[in-house]
Amino acid sequence: MSEAFVLSPEFNPAGTATGVRPLASAGRGERGVIVKVTGHSGAAEAVVAEELERRLLEMGFVEGASIEVLHEGLFGRDPIAVRVDDTRVALRRREAGAISVKFDGR
Amino acid sequence: MTPDSGAAAPSVASPLADTARIALVGNPNSGKTALFNALTGSRQKVANYAGVTVERKEGVLTAPSGRQIRVLDLPGTYSLRARSPDEAVTRDAVLGKLAGEDAPQALVCVADATNLRLVLRLALELKQVGRPFVLALNMFDIAQRQGLRIDVERLSTEIGAPIVTTVATRKRGLPELLDKVEALVDRQTLTADNAWHEPSPAEIRAAHAEAQRIFKACVKPPERPDTVTGKIDGVLLHPVAGLVILLGLLFVMFQAVFTWATPAMDGIDAGFAALIELTNASLPKGLLTSFIADGLIAGVGSVLVFLPQILILFFFILLLEDSGYMARAAFLMDKIMGGAGLHGRAFIPLLSSFACAIPGIMSTRVIDNRQDRLTTILVAPLMTCSARIPVYTLIIGAFIPQQTVWGVLSLQGLVMFGLYASGIISALLVSFVIRRIFWRGAVEPFMMELPTYRWPEPRNVLMNLWTRARIFMSRAGRIILPLMVLVWVLSTFPYPPEGATGPAIDYSIAGRIGQFLAPLMAPIGFNWQMTVALIPGMAAREVAVAVLGTVYAVGGEDGETGALSTLLKNQWSLASALSFLAWYVFAPQCLPTLGVVKRETNSWVWPTIMFVYMVSLAYIAAFITYHVAVALGAG
Ligand SMILES: Nc1nc2c(ncn2[C@@H]2O[C@H](COP(=O)(O)OP(=O)(O)O)[C@@H](O)[C@H]2O)c(=O)[nH]1
């Protein structure tokens, strides 16, 4: 199933600040700093929002952490492997929708 | 667990009063298992925690002071908040609330010195619990090689716990670690009352910020940071090359499992056959001898014969895990498996199921989410396990002509391949259906640390292999043996009447069940002999071959598949034979698997569902195969 990654229209966790986009939309090689982590990925999750938020935080996805997209999967460029500070983490784009990043050079 | 009287009621006079209890906690991939192995060597015991199917690993060591220390290895975790049964055990053990367990007197928090950020937050959580702990900065050799500078004294003050540096794989730092542990045990006081509770997101953020502050204050970034992992990942995680390499690895692994294991399996087979013969020859003929030879020895043999394959498979899996590749494999496979509603981590259990579904189902414990885990368990037996191979070989050898198609491919090989492919495809379809119909919508997050690549340590790999083999043997043995005995009883009693001409099994309960079911199986082209063979074949799939030999009374000896296959060719139609193959792709012809599912899910519901859906699929597939074949003139 290559369900396209769709964000609901009302989903805009970090406002429209310039250069801030969900990590879900990032391509390989993009770097930035996490500005906001919520539990709302914009997709149906098996865990409640707060739980998703806690898991992301526990894996080191916290506001202020530096982030870089290292690798992408073949199908739908999903999942992605990212560097968070100095840890490498793999996650799906759907969960990455809960992380807003201010990307460099935009 | 043996009831340790001294531990339950500590008294000064008791000789066990000097036994200390400690537990290891830490992030995954911190070297916790290696440290546990280094500390306890071969003095390990693996069992289950009371009431839950989480592995309980405990070992004993003797400290330089002469004191005995019992070490509990807890499942790896990033926080004390439990997301899976494994992590719940860690939390409860740390809090001293685990049913049937004494609280550990001290904890060892194992940290990868080169990857401290996340573990510092875990250490802060431990501090809240108030149970004394030592922080073991493991992988210190790598930290030194990278020129990472850690202000150990400052770090120790900041987190309020003594610190030792260790290299688990070289057994460095262990005496110092035990020294500190003993000092904590001797103090015998909690450092504070338990102030731990499930942290809210805000509290996690605060703890993370605090951990970050400590990290910045105590750790200087490495002068020679690891760049190898990034380079290797550039190839191994490449969208296309990565998948190709993964497939290549799997191919090599399968080759190894099936070719390397053959001599050992033949040896075991021959050994048990000789043992059975010896038993029959040296004991007086009778019920007891038959029980020992055909029930017990044959039963143990039928389990042991798969051990070589399982060991080789585990060996590869351990190499892939210890090197850090397994997380990459899950990454590469996630989308493909996710399409069928399976979690990326289901990859390893399903892979193991090609050797045998039992270790496969046991290894679904790595999957956190219950629904993901159940889906994986339900489809695991559809993977073509090696117990099906004897059946497939017999039937294919008898019915499929040895000819080549398109010049290069052997037709027999193609049919074999088709059977494997049907297994895989149906597993994906079934899990897809389960996901869509029964557990709609919600998808469990997939989030996994990709550890730094490391050379696997041979000693460590061998020790873990030994542990896993032991677990498999004891669990499988405990389930398979009684079942083999049951099947022996069913196929032995009652005895044939005086002067009976047919083979004895025809008169047994199994024979009667078979004959009773025969009308039911007639629509799928099974004659009653085939149906009878299915009943003892429930003990293990390959047993059906021996039973067919018995039912058709081929020379009295099993092993003469040549004679048997000629006989089958004359007795069965091609359509029946194909239908039998189709049946074997799907049918739950393996009671031990159902037993393991019962054990792992702690309920009869799941084995029942598995049985029903697999029988239905088998019947439908065999029905279609039979009728299509007949229509094409193969009846
Ligand atoms: N160089 C080095 N490697 C280690 C050390 N401790 C563990 N390892 C290796 O790190 C890998 C992961 O260790 P393991 O014990 O499986 O980690 P666990 O997931 O925490 O149980 C294995 O390949 C070990 O051989 C150490 O102190 N130094």
Side-chain angles (χ1 to χ4, degrees), chain A residues 1 37 45-46 51 53-55 58 63 78 80 86-92 95, chain B residues 79 81 83 117 121 199 205 208 331 334-335 339 442-450:
Chain A
M1 287 270 77
V37 178
E45 297 287 342
E51 175 60 23
E53 183 177 354
R54 289 197 278 196
R55 288 196 196 183
E58 280 164 2
E63 289 80 0
D78 194 33
I80 52 175
D86 30 36
T87 317
R88 272 170 245 273
V89 183
L91 79 168
R92 293 193 187 131
E95 277 88 44
Chain B
S79 88
R81 244 163 35 75
R83 304 178 297 197
R117 260 177 233 269
R121 216 205 62 252
R205 280 191 175 86
H208 196 94
F331 174 86
D334 181 65
K335 194 76 186 178
V443 175
E444 178 75 3
F446 170 84
M447 232 180 276
M448 211 168 35
E449 195 177 339
L450 300 173

mmCIF file of all heavy atoms in Angstrom, chain A residues 1 37 45-46 51 53-55 58 63 78 80 86-92 95, chain B residues 79 81 83 117 121 199 205 208 331 334-335 339 442-450:
data_model
loop_
_atom_site.group_PDB
_atom_site.id
_atom_site.type_symbol
_atom_site.label_atom_id
_atom_site.label_comp_id
_atom_site.label_asym_id
_atom_site.label_seq_id
_atom_site.Cartn_x
_atom_site.Cartn_y
_atom_site.Cartn_z
ATOM 1 N N MET A 1 0.847 -1.196 0.000
ATOM 2 C CA MET A 1 0.000 0.000 0.000
ATOM 3 C C MET A 1 0.875 1.236 0.000
ATOM 4 O O MET A 1 1.629 1.464 0.926
ATOM 5 C CB MET A 1 -0.831 0.072 1.290
ATOM 6 C CG MET A 1 -1.967 -0.906 1.377
ATOM 7 S SD MET A 1 -3.482 -0.248 0.700
ATOM 8 C CE MET A 1 -3.255 -0.364 -1.030
ATOM 9 N N VAL A 37 7.565 19.610 18.656
ATOM 10 C CA VAL A 37 7.188 18.202 18.619
ATOM 11 C C VAL A 37 5.807 18.068 19.244
ATOM 12 O O VAL A 37 5.582 18.560 20.356
ATOM 13 C CB VAL A 37 8.191 17.322 19.409
ATOM 14 C CG1 VAL A 37 7.761 15.866 19.394
ATOM 15 C CG2 VAL A 37 9.589 17.472 18.842
ATOM 16 N N GLU A 45 -3.058 6.942 14.178
ATOM 17 C CA GLU A 45 -2.031 6.219 14.906
ATOM 18 C C GLU A 45 -2.679 5.221 15.856
ATOM 19 O O GLU A 45 -3.791 5.398 16.301
ATOM 20 C CB GLU A 45 -1.175 7.194 15.728
ATOM 21 C CG GLU A 45 -0.406 8.201 14.908
ATOM 22 C CD GLU A 45 0.769 7.569 14.173
ATOM 23 O OE1 GLU A 45 1.178 6.457 14.550
ATOM 24 O OE2 GLU A 45 1.253 8.189 13.215
ATOM 25 N N ALA A 46 -1.923 4.173 16.156
ATOM 26 C CA ALA A 46 -2.428 3.178 17.100
ATOM 27 C C ALA A 46 -2.292 3.675 18.532
ATOM 28 O O ALA A 46 -2.889 3.145 19.445
ATOM 29 C CB ALA A 46 -1.665 1.869 16.937
ATOM 30 N N GLU A 51 1.009 9.774 23.775
ATOM 31 C CA GLU A 51 1.955 8.662 23.768
ATOM 32 C C GLU A 51 2.953 8.817 22.626
ATOM 33 O O GLU A 51 4.152 8.616 22.810
ATOM 34 C CB GLU A 51 1.184 7.341 23.641
ATOM 35 C CG GLU A 51 2.035 6.109 23.510
ATOM 36 C CD GLU A 51 2.962 5.867 24.696
ATOM 37 O OE1 GLU A 51 2.656 6.375 25.796
ATOM 38 O OE2 GLU A 51 3.983 5.191 24.515
ATOM 39 N N GLU A 53 3.870 11.549 21.278
ATOM 40 C CA GLU A 53 4.747 12.658 21.642
ATOM 41 C C GLU A 53 5.838 12.178 22.598
ATOM 42 O O GLU A 53 7.023 12.466 22.423
ATOM 43 C CB GLU A 53 3.911 13.767 22.296
ATOM 44 C CG GLU A 53 4.716 14.994 22.656
ATOM 45 C CD GLU A 53 3.842 16.101 23.237
ATOM 46 O OE1 GLU A 53 2.604 15.932 23.248
ATOM 47 O OE2 GLU A 53 4.411 17.115 23.680
ATOM 48 N N ARG A 54 5.418 11.387 23.597
ATOM 49 C CA ARG A 54 6.398 10.901 24.563
ATOM 50 C C ARG A 54 7.441 10.002 23.909
ATOM 51 O O ARG A 54 8.622 10.064 24.212
ATOM 52 C CB ARG A 54 5.694 10.145 25.699
ATOM 53 C CG ARG A 54 4.914 11.096 26.602
ATOM 54 C CD ARG A 54 4.570 10.466 27.908
ATOM 55 N NE ARG A 54 3.383 9.634 27.813
ATOM 56 C CZ ARG A 54 2.701 9.227 28.879
ATOM 57 N NH1 ARG A 54 3.095 9.557 30.090
ATOM 58 N NH2 ARG A 54 1.641 8.474 28.726
ATOM 59 N N ARG A 55 6.985 9.163 22.992
ATOM 60 C CA ARG A 55 7.954 8.274 22.345
ATOM 61 C C ARG A 55 8.956 9.045 21.515
ATOM 62 O O ARG A 55 10.138 8.733 21.489
ATOM 63 C CB ARG A 55 7.222 7.282 21.441
ATOM 64 C CG ARG A 55 6.482 6.260 22.241
ATOM 65 C CD ARG A 55 6.097 5.104 21.368
ATOM 66 N NE ARG A 55 5.074 4.326 22.043
ATOM 67 C CZ ARG A 55 4.561 3.208 21.549
ATOM 68 N NH1 ARG A 55 4.975 2.768 20.393
ATOM 69 N NH2 ARG A 55 3.638 2.560 22.218
ATOM 70 N N GLU A 58 11.390 10.627 23.805
ATOM 71 C CA GLU A 58 12.330 9.668 24.377
ATOM 72 C C GLU A 58 13.393 9.221 23.391
ATOM 73 O O GLU A 58 14.472 8.799 23.777
ATOM 74 C CB GLU A 58 11.571 8.445 24.906
ATOM 75 C CG GLU A 58 10.951 8.706 26.260
ATOM 76 C CD GLU A 58 9.906 7.679 26.626
ATOM 77 O OE1 GLU A 58 9.674 6.742 25.849
ATOM 78 O OE2 GLU A 58 9.311 7.819 27.699
ATOM 79 N N GLU A 63 12.679 19.744 20.999
ATOM 80 C CA GLU A 63 12.877 21.071 20.441
ATOM 81 C C GLU A 63 14.330 21.470 20.645
ATOM 82 O O GLU A 63 14.887 21.292 21.737
ATOM 83 C CB GLU A 63 11.942 22.084 21.118
ATOM 84 C CG GLU A 63 10.471 21.924 20.743
ATOM 85 C CD GLU A 63 9.747 20.813 21.505
ATOM 86 O OE1 GLU A 63 10.380 20.150 22.329
ATOM 87 O OE2 GLU A 63 8.530 20.630 21.268
ATOM 88 N N ASP A 78 10.029 6.184 1.821
ATOM 89 C CA ASP A 78 9.606 5.958 3.192
ATOM 90 C C ASP A 78 10.123 4.595 3.617
ATOM 91 O O ASP A 78 10.149 3.678 2.771
ATOM 92 C CB ASP A 78 8.058 5.973 3.221
ATOM 93 C CG ASP A 78 7.513 6.082 4.630
ATOM 94 O OD1 ASP A 78 8.156 6.733 5.451
ATOM 95 O OD2 ASP A 78 6.454 5.516 4.880
ATOM 96 N N ILE A 80 12.276 6.995 6.689
ATOM 97 C CA ILE A 80 13.483 7.800 6.562
ATOM 98 C C ILE A 80 14.409 7.512 7.746
ATOM 99 O O ILE A 80 13.955 7.103 8.809
ATOM 100 C CB ILE A 80 13.173 9.316 6.520
ATOM 101 C CG1 ILE A 80 12.282 9.715 7.697
ATOM 102 C CG2 ILE A 80 12.546 9.692 5.204
ATOM 103 C CD1 ILE A 80 12.041 11.218 7.789
ATOM 104 N N ASP A 86 23.407 13.395 17.864
ATOM 105 C CA ASP A 86 24.321 12.429 17.265
ATOM 106 C C ASP A 86 23.804 10.998 17.316
ATOM 107 O O ASP A 86 24.562 10.053 17.354
ATOM 108 C CB ASP A 86 25.730 12.533 17.846
ATOM 109 C CG ASP A 86 25.711 13.010 19.270
ATOM 110 O OD1 ASP A 86 24.774 12.631 20.002
ATOM 111 O OD2 ASP A 86 26.587 13.760 19.659
ATOM 112 N N THR A 87 22.491 10.852 17.313
ATOM 113 C CA THR A 87 21.907 9.519 17.271
ATOM 114 C C THR A 87 21.259 9.322 15.905
ATOM 115 O O THR A 87 20.670 10.247 15.371
ATOM 116 C CB THR A 87 20.805 9.406 18.345
ATOM 117 O OG1 THR A 87 21.288 10.004 19.539
ATOM 118 C CG2 THR A 87 20.439 7.975 18.608
ATOM 119 N N ARG A 88 21.387 8.104 15.377
ATOM 120 C CA ARG A 88 20.700 7.788 14.123
ATOM 121 C C ARG A 88 19.388 7.097 14.444
ATOM 122 O O ARG A 88 19.390 6.121 15.197
ATOM 123 C CB ARG A 88 21.516 6.794 13.320
ATOM 124 C CG ARG A 88 22.515 7.364 12.417
ATOM 125 C CD ARG A 88 23.373 6.232 11.899
ATOM 126 N NE ARG A 88 24.715 6.439 12.394
ATOM 127 C CZ ARG A 88 25.608 7.180 11.777
ATOM 128 N NH1 ARG A 88 25.339 7.703 10.660
ATOM 129 N NH2 ARG A 88 26.791 7.383 12.284
ATOM 130 N N VAL A 89 18.306 7.590 13.882
ATOM 131 C CA VAL A 89 17.008 6.988 14.159
ATOM 132 C C VAL A 89 16.254 6.781 12.849
ATOM 133 O O VAL A 89 16.305 7.626 11.957
ATOM 134 C CB VAL A 89 16.166 7.888 15.094
ATOM 135 C CG1 VAL A 89 14.841 7.227 15.429
ATOM 136 C CG2 VAL A 89 16.926 8.198 16.372
ATOM 137 N N ALA A 90 15.566 5.636 12.744
ATOM 138 C CA ALA A 90 14.710 5.373 11.596
ATOM 139 C C ALA A 90 13.271 5.584 12.022
ATOM 140 O O ALA A 90 12.884 5.208 13.125
ATOM 141 C CB ALA A 90 14.889 3.936 11.111
ATOM 142 N N LEU A 91 12.484 6.246 11.196
ATOM 143 C CA LEU A 91 11.060 6.388 11.485
ATOM 144 C C LEU A 91 10.291 6.565 10.186
ATOM 145 O O LEU A 91 10.882 6.827 9.137
ATOM 146 C CB LEU A 91 10.790 7.541 12.459
ATOM 147 C CG LEU A 91 10.778 8.988 11.956
ATOM 148 C CD1 LEU A 91 10.199 9.892 13.036
ATOM 149 C CD2 LEU A 91 12.171 9.454 11.626
ATOM 150 N N ARG A 92 8.975 6.397 10.277
ATOM 151 C CA ARG A 92 8.163 6.556 9.069
ATOM 152 C C ARG A 92 7.806 8.018 8.874
ATOM 153 O O ARG A 92 7.742 8.780 9.829
ATOM 154 C CB ARG A 92 6.872 5.737 9.205
ATOM 155 C CG ARG A 92 7.109 4.256 9.233
ATOM 156 C CD ARG A 92 5.804 3.508 9.041
ATOM 157 N NE ARG A 92 6.022 2.081 9.223
ATOM 158 C CZ ARG A 92 5.273 1.307 10.006
ATOM 159 N NH1 ARG A 92 4.251 1.810 10.658
ATOM 160 N NH2 ARG A 92 5.534 0.028 10.123
ATOM 161 N N GLU A 95 4.909 9.371 11.160
ATOM 162 C CA GLU A 95 5.235 9.861 12.495
ATOM 163 C C GLU A 95 6.057 11.139 12.429
ATOM 164 O O GLU A 95 5.988 11.986 13.310
ATOM 165 C CB GLU A 95 5.981 8.807 13.301
ATOM 166 C CG GLU A 95 5.094 7.800 13.961
ATOM 167 C CD GLU A 95 4.809 6.629 13.032
ATOM 168 O OE1 GLU A 95 5.742 6.137 12.374
ATOM 169 O OE2 GLU A 95 3.635 6.227 12.960
ATOM 170 N N SER B 79 13.261 4.159 28.569
ATOM 171 C CA SER B 79 12.699 4.852 29.727
ATOM 172 C C SER B 79 12.000 3.816 30.592
ATOM 173 O O SER B 79 11.814 2.681 30.175
ATOM 174 C CB SER B 79 11.705 5.927 29.288
ATOM 175 O OG SER B 79 10.417 5.351 29.160
ATOM 176 N N ARG B 81 8.998 4.048 31.436
ATOM 177 C CA ARG B 81 7.628 3.971 30.965
ATOM 178 C C ARG B 81 7.488 2.739 30.091
ATOM 179 O O ARG B 81 8.233 2.558 29.160
ATOM 180 C CB ARG B 81 7.343 5.184 30.098
ATOM 181 C CG ARG B 81 6.320 6.121 30.586
ATOM 182 C CD ARG B 81 6.457 7.432 29.856
ATOM 183 N NE ARG B 81 6.873 7.272 28.457
ATOM 184 C CZ ARG B 81 6.075 6.847 27.493
ATOM 185 N NH1 ARG B 81 4.818 6.531 27.755
ATOM 186 N NH2 ARG B 81 6.512 6.738 26.260
ATOM 187 N N ARG B 83 6.092 0.311 27.281
ATOM 188 C CA ARG B 83 5.277 0.288 26.061
ATOM 189 C C ARG B 83 5.016 -1.136 25.625
ATOM 190 O O ARG B 83 4.134 -1.398 24.847
ATOM 191 C CB ARG B 83 6.015 1.031 24.958
ATOM 192 C CG ARG B 83 6.377 2.429 25.366
ATOM 193 C CD ARG B 83 7.144 3.117 24.284
ATOM 194 N NE ARG B 83 8.401 2.438 24.038
ATOM 195 C CZ ARG B 83 9.399 3.015 23.382
ATOM 196 N NH1 ARG B 83 9.270 4.229 22.929
ATOM 197 N NH2 ARG B 83 10.509 2.362 23.178
ATOM 198 N N ARG B 117 23.607 10.583 25.271
ATOM 199 C CA ARG B 117 22.500 11.515 25.417
ATOM 200 C C ARG B 117 21.233 10.883 25.974
ATOM 201 O O ARG B 117 20.646 11.360 26.931
ATOM 202 C CB ARG B 117 22.159 12.146 24.085
ATOM 203 C CG ARG B 117 22.709 13.514 23.914
ATOM 204 C CD ARG B 117 22.374 14.007 22.527
ATOM 205 N NE ARG B 117 23.585 14.464 21.866
ATOM 206 C CZ ARG B 117 23.999 15.722 21.941
ATOM 207 N NH1 ARG B 117 23.305 16.613 22.601
ATOM 208 N NH2 ARG B 117 25.104 16.086 21.353
ATOM 209 N N ARG B 121 19.079 10.459 30.367
ATOM 210 C CA ARG B 121 17.715 10.689 30.826
ATOM 211 C C ARG B 121 17.186 9.478 31.573
ATOM 212 O O ARG B 121 16.505 9.597 32.571
ATOM 213 C CB ARG B 121 16.804 11.049 29.661
ATOM 214 C CG ARG B 121 15.764 12.073 30.056
ATOM 215 C CD ARG B 121 14.534 12.033 29.201
ATOM 216 N NE ARG B 121 13.899 10.736 29.338
ATOM 217 C CZ ARG B 121 13.908 9.818 28.394
ATOM 218 N NH1 ARG B 121 14.494 10.052 27.245
ATOM 219 N NH2 ARG B 121 13.343 8.672 28.595
ATOM 220 N N PRO B 199 6.207 9.914 33.492
ATOM 221 C CA PRO B 199 6.398 11.332 33.199
ATOM 222 C C PRO B 199 5.456 11.816 32.096
ATOM 223 O O PRO B 199 5.112 11.059 31.192
ATOM 224 C CB PRO B 199 7.857 11.399 32.742
ATOM 225 C CG PRO B 199 8.179 10.037 32.249
ATOM 226 C CD PRO B 199 7.327 9.081 33.036
ATOM 227 N N ARG B 205 10.478 16.483 28.548
ATOM 228 C CA ARG B 205 11.255 17.592 27.980
ATOM 229 C C ARG B 205 12.208 18.155 29.021
ATOM 230 O O ARG B 205 13.378 18.390 28.743
ATOM 231 C CB ARG B 205 10.319 18.701 27.507
ATOM 232 C CG ARG B 205 9.683 18.431 26.165
ATOM 233 C CD ARG B 205 8.995 19.678 25.633
ATOM 234 N NE ARG B 205 8.489 19.434 24.298
ATOM 235 C CZ ARG B 205 7.288 18.893 24.052
ATOM 236 N NH1 ARG B 205 6.494 18.558 25.060
ATOM 237 N NH2 ARG B 205 6.909 18.689 22.814
ATOM 238 N N HIS B 208 14.985 15.829 29.655
ATOM 239 C CA HIS B 208 15.895 15.819 28.527
ATOM 240 C C HIS B 208 16.804 17.042 28.570
ATOM 241 O O HIS B 208 18.003 16.939 28.315
ATOM 242 C CB HIS B 208 15.110 15.780 27.218
ATOM 243 C CG HIS B 208 15.960 15.386 26.059
ATOM 244 N ND1 HIS B 208 16.041 14.092 25.635
ATOM 245 C CD2 HIS B 208 16.792 16.112 25.276
ATOM 246 C CE1 HIS B 208 16.889 14.032 24.625
ATOM 247 N NE2 HIS B 208 17.353 15.243 24.374
ATOM 248 N N PHE B 331 14.532 -1.508 8.557
ATOM 249 C CA PHE B 331 14.312 -0.245 7.844
ATOM 250 C C PHE B 331 13.987 -0.509 6.377
ATOM 251 O O PHE B 331 13.010 0.009 5.823
ATOM 252 C CB PHE B 331 15.569 0.622 7.982
ATOM 253 C CG PHE B 331 15.551 1.898 7.169
ATOM 254 C CD1 PHE B 331 14.977 3.045 7.686
ATOM 255 C CD2 PHE B 331 16.117 1.946 5.901
ATOM 256 C CE1 PHE B 331 14.960 4.218 6.941
ATOM 257 C CE2 PHE B 331 16.110 3.112 5.152
ATOM 258 C CZ PHE B 331 15.524 4.253 5.682
ATOM 259 N N ASP B 334 10.586 -2.339 5.973
ATOM 260 C CA ASP B 334 9.383 -1.807 6.619
ATOM 261 C C ASP B 334 8.261 -1.501 5.642
ATOM 262 O O ASP B 334 7.113 -1.856 5.863
ATOM 263 C CB ASP B 334 9.707 -0.567 7.441
ATOM 264 C CG ASP B 334 8.467 -0.034 8.131
ATOM 265 O OD1 ASP B 334 7.953 -0.755 8.994
ATOM 266 O OD2 ASP B 334 7.999 1.058 7.777
ATOM 267 N N LYS B 335 8.618 -0.842 4.537
ATOM 268 C CA LYS B 335 7.568 -0.433 3.607
ATOM 269 C C LYS B 335 6.922 -1.660 2.943
ATOM 270 O O LYS B 335 5.711 -1.727 2.783
ATOM 271 C CB LYS B 335 8.164 0.478 2.529
ATOM 272 C CG LYS B 335 7.104 1.214 1.724
ATOM 273 C CD LYS B 335 6.530 2.356 2.536
ATOM 274 C CE LYS B 335 5.377 3.008 1.790
ATOM 275 N NZ LYS B 335 4.793 4.088 2.592
ATOM 276 N N GLY B 339 3.100 -2.747 3.739
ATOM 277 C CA GLY B 339 2.050 -2.854 2.739
ATOM 278 C C GLY B 339 1.114 -3.999 3.050
ATOM 279 O O GLY B 339 -0.080 -3.948 2.761
ATOM 280 N N ALA B 442 -5.568 2.045 12.511
ATOM 281 C CA ALA B 442 -4.452 2.525 13.299
ATOM 282 C C ALA B 442 -3.172 1.738 13.057
ATOM 283 O O ALA B 442 -3.168 0.519 13.020
ATOM 284 C CB ALA B 442 -4.815 2.465 14.764
ATOM 285 N N VAL B 443 -2.107 2.473 12.899
ATOM 286 C CA VAL B 443 -0.814 1.845 12.643
ATOM 287 C C VAL B 443 0.155 2.210 13.760
ATOM 288 O O VAL B 443 0.253 3.355 14.171
ATOM 289 C CB VAL B 443 -0.245 2.304 11.286
ATOM 290 C CG1 VAL B 443 1.141 1.745 11.082
ATOM 291 C CG2 VAL B 443 -1.162 1.878 10.162
ATOM 292 N N GLU B 444 0.832 1.196 14.239
ATOM 293 C CA GLU B 444 1.807 1.400 15.306
ATOM 294 C C GLU B 444 3.003 2.177 14.765
ATOM 295 O O GLU B 444 3.497 1.900 13.675
ATOM 296 C CB GLU B 444 2.231 0.030 15.807
ATOM 297 C CG GLU B 444 3.277 0.044 16.877
ATOM 298 C CD GLU B 444 2.728 0.455 18.218
ATOM 299 O OE1 GLU B 444 1.502 0.677 18.329
ATOM 300 O OE2 GLU B 444 3.520 0.571 19.144
ATOM 301 N N PRO B 445 3.484 3.164 15.527
ATOM 302 C CA PRO B 445 4.654 3.898 15.054
ATOM 303 C C PRO B 445 5.847 2.960 14.869
ATOM 304 O O PRO B 445 5.991 1.979 15.584
ATOM 305 C CB PRO B 445 4.942 4.897 16.176
ATOM 306 C CG PRO B 445 3.814 4.847 17.110
ATOM 307 C CD PRO B 445 2.995 3.650 16.812
ATOM 308 N N PHE B 446 6.658 3.304 13.909
ATOM 309 C CA PHE B 446 7.893 2.560 13.670
ATOM 310 C C PHE B 446 9.020 3.527 13.955
ATOM 311 O O PHE B 446 9.156 4.544 13.285
ATOM 312 C CB PHE B 446 7.920 2.098 12.213
ATOM 313 C CG PHE B 446 9.226 1.518 11.757
ATOM 314 C CD1 PHE B 446 9.515 0.183 11.994
ATOM 315 C CD2 PHE B 446 10.149 2.292 11.084
ATOM 316 C CE1 PHE B 446 10.714 -0.361 11.556
ATOM 317 C CE2 PHE B 446 11.352 1.739 10.645
ATOM 318 C CZ PHE B 446 11.633 0.418 10.885
ATOM 319 N N MET B 447 9.775 3.226 14.988
ATOM 320 C CA MET B 447 10.820 4.151 15.388
ATOM 321 C C MET B 447 11.929 3.309 15.975
ATOM 322 O O MET B 447 11.694 2.507 16.858
ATOM 323 C CB MET B 447 10.283 5.054 16.492
ATOM 324 C CG MET B 447 10.452 6.510 16.266
ATOM 325 S SD MET B 447 9.764 7.352 17.676
ATOM 326 C CE MET B 447 8.039 7.419 17.254
ATOM 327 N N MET B 448 13.105 3.467 15.437
ATOM 328 C CA MET B 448 14.145 2.561 15.855
ATOM 329 C C MET B 448 15.485 3.238 15.766
ATOM 330 O O MET B 448 15.771 3.921 14.783
ATOM 331 C CB MET B 448 14.125 1.345 14.932
ATOM 332 C CG MET B 448 14.562 0.082 15.563
ATOM 333 S SD MET B 448 14.178 -1.312 14.526
ATOM 334 C CE MET B 448 14.409 -0.662 12.937
ATOM 335 N N GLU B 449 16.319 3.052 16.768
ATOM 336 C CA GLU B 449 17.657 3.592 16.682
ATOM 337 C C GLU B 449 18.468 2.728 15.726
ATOM 338 O O GLU B 449 18.317 1.509 15.705
ATOM 339 C CB GLU B 449 18.310 3.583 18.069
ATOM 340 C CG GLU B 449 19.543 4.445 18.105
ATOM 341 C CD GLU B 449 20.171 4.529 19.482
ATOM 342 O OE1 GLU B 449 19.459 4.260 20.474
ATOM 343 O OE2 GLU B 449 21.356 4.855 19.556
ATOM 344 N N LEU B 450 19.274 3.370 14.893
ATOM 345 C CA LEU B 450 20.169 2.611 14.015
ATOM 346 C C LEU B 450 21.549 2.631 14.662
ATOM 347 O O LEU B 450 22.242 3.639 14.614
ATOM 348 C CB LEU B 450 20.226 3.248 12.617
ATOM 349 C CG LEU B 450 18.895 3.321 11.866
ATOM 350 C CD1 LEU B 450 19.052 4.116 10.569
ATOM 351 C CD2 LEU B 450 18.366 1.930 11.564
#
